[in-house]
Amino acid sequence: MMMNMSLIIMVMFIFGNMIFISKHKHLLIVLLSLEFIVLSIFFLLVIYLNYIEYDMYMLMIFLLFSVCEGALGLSILVSMIRTHGNDYFQSFSVL
């Protein structure tokens, strides 16, 4: 049971990384793939911490940082859409 869940989570992590690498045209898709990666890491931490019977306080800290990361990404997306009109990476200059 534990190995099956770990295998599913690893597949989730690999798919999230594949989407992050291949779909870099829109900022929204990149942010969603990053959240998918964070979700798979969270599930892996839940299984690992249950296995070693450790306190779940670390998961709250991890969720806190992942929510902050999501809010920061969403604010960047909103400001980019307001200034450029879309979320294409090609529509704005880095300089």
Side-chain angles (χ1 to χ4, degrees):
M1 175 76 178
M2 181 93 146
M3 291 301 293
N4 291 337
M5 292 300 291
S6 297
L7 181 66
I8 291 170
I9 292 169
M10 289 299 167
V11 169
M12 284 175 57
F13 184 76
I14 290 170
F15 280 153
N17 282 324
M18 286 174 38
I19 292 170
F20 181 72
I21 291 170
S22 66
K23 302 289 184 186
H24 56 273
K25 187 175 182 181
H26 293 279
L27 180 62
L28 181 63
I29 294 175
V30 170
L31 291 175
L32 284 174
S33 67
L34 285 175
E35 289 298 321
F36 193 70
I37 292 168
V38 167
L39 185 66
S40 67
I41 292 172
F42 175 73
F43 286 151
L44 186 66
L45 278 174
V46 167
I47 288 176
Y48 178 69
L49 291 177
N50 277 334
Y51 179 71
I52 63 171
E53 296 176 359
Y54 194 69
D55 193 16
M56 296 293 165
Y57 184 71
M58 179 63 188
L59 292 176
M60 294 301 292
I61 296 171
F62 183 78
L63 279 178
L64 175 78
F65 284 114
S66 65
V67 166
C68 291
E69 176 252 340
L72 183 64
L74 188 61
S75 66
I76 291 171
L77 177 69
V78 167
S79 67
M80 186 175 166
I81 289 176
R82 284 186 181 175
T83 58
H84 300 287
N86 55 21
D87 67 337
Y88 293 132
F89 280 121
Q90 289 88 12
S91 67
F92 68 98
S93 173
V94 176
L95 298 174

